[in-house]
């Protein structure tokens, strides 16, 4: 057994398997863990600073490129270097968000999209989503989509619960 202390960050927030490595995010940084063999088994390398991940489910890998929601705001990617993803709705998203570990990222490879599902600042439930098309990233920006389906499902569930208590 043994241990390895990462050079930046106070807690590990996420980890995702990528091409030939495991990417590890702390609250403030990104690190790579690669198999190097005995005697240390794994080697660690810091890949970026001030680029932590908001939570354990807020990062994904698509064909060796990692995408995540930043712990201090913003959307980032790693394809050999950490880069900020340009986003015209970033202020809209981050001015009305609860940055909690329950933020989820998902990949829809049929449409080349990554979506982050998150709660607005006054909600205890996930009620919004922002989606990014990763193949049209050149000159493109993120598109904010209010997830109407989530709101409709939530309202239907509330109505069902309300009607159940009235009977």
């Amino acid at each position: 057994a043994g241990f390895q202390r990462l050079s930046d960050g106070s807690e590990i927030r996420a980890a995702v398997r990528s091409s030939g490595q495991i990417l590890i995010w702390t609250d403030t940084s990104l690190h790579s863990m690669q198999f190097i063999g005995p005697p240390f088994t794994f080697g660690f390398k810091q890949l970026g600073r001030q680029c932590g991940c908001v939570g354990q489910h807020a990062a994904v890998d698509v064909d060796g490129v990692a995408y995540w929601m930043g712990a201090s705001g913003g959307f980032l990617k790693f394809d050999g270097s950490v880069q900020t993803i340009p986003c015209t709705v970033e202020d809209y998203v981050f001015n009305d968000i609860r940055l909690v570990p329950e933020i989820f990222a998902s990949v829809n490879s049929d449409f080349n999209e990554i979506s982050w599902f998150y709660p607005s600042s006054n909600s205890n439930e996930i009620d919004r989503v922002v989606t990014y098309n990763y193949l049209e990233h050149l000159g493109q920006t993120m598109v904010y989509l209010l997830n109407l389906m989530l709101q409709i499902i939530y309202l239907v569930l509330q109505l069902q619960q309300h009607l159940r208590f009235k009977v």
Side-chain angles (χ1 to χ4, degrees):
F3 69 92
Q4 174 70 38
R5 186 173 302 272
L6 299 177
S7 58
D8 195 359
S10 61
E11 68 179 5
I12 292 176
R13 293 271 178 96
V16 172
R17 185 176 57 200
S18 190
S19 296
Q21 63 188 339
I22 295 176
L23 297 174
I24 302 170
W25 286 268
T26 69
D27 53 335
T28 61
S29 59
L30 173 63
H31 302 264
S32 169
M33 179 177 81
Q34 291 183 307
F35 178 77
I36 59 171
F40 299 111
T41 309
F42 292 101
F44 294 84
K45 178 181 175 185
Q46 185 165 350
L47 302 174
R49 297 179 189 274
Q50 302 301 317
C51 61
C53 186
V54 68
Q56 69 180 7
H57 303 292
V60 294
D61 181 89
V62 179
D63 299 327
V65 180
Y67 300 88
W68 69 98
M69 182 183 281
S72 56
F75 299 94
L76 301 109
K77 73 176 186 174
F78 177 78
D79 62 358
S81 65
V82 175
Q83 302 166 43
T84 300
I85 300 172
C87 177
T88 59
V89 296
E90 185 173 331
D91 288 342
Y92 181 82
V93 171
F94 289 99
N95 285 337
D96 189 18
I97 188 173
R98 271 189 50 231
L99 287 172
V100 294
E102 294 79 24
I103 293 171
F104 287 86
S106 84
V107 177
N108 181 346
S109 56
D110 290 340
F111 294 97
N112 308 312
E113 294 175 340
I114 299 166
S115 295
W116 287 271
F117 298 85
Y118 66 95
S120 56
S121 58
N122 294 321
S123 178
N124 290 325
E125 307 286 335
I126 291 174
D127 60 352
R128 299 216 174 146
V129 62
V130 62
T131 299
Y132 172 66
N133 186 308
Y134 54 85
L135 283 187
E136 298 177 6
H137 63 286
L138 292 176
Q140 299 293 316
T141 56
M142 297 182 94
V143 178
Y144 175 77
L145 303 171
L146 179 59
N147 193 339
L148 191 56
M149 282 304 271
L150 282 177
Q151 289 186 348
I152 290 170
I153 291 169
Y154 179 71
L155 291 173
V156 167
L157 291 173
Q158 281 187 323
L159 181 60
Q160 284 177 341
Q161 195 171 32
H162 178 71
L163 292 174
R164 194 175 356 207
F165 289 119
K166 289 281 188 179
V167 176

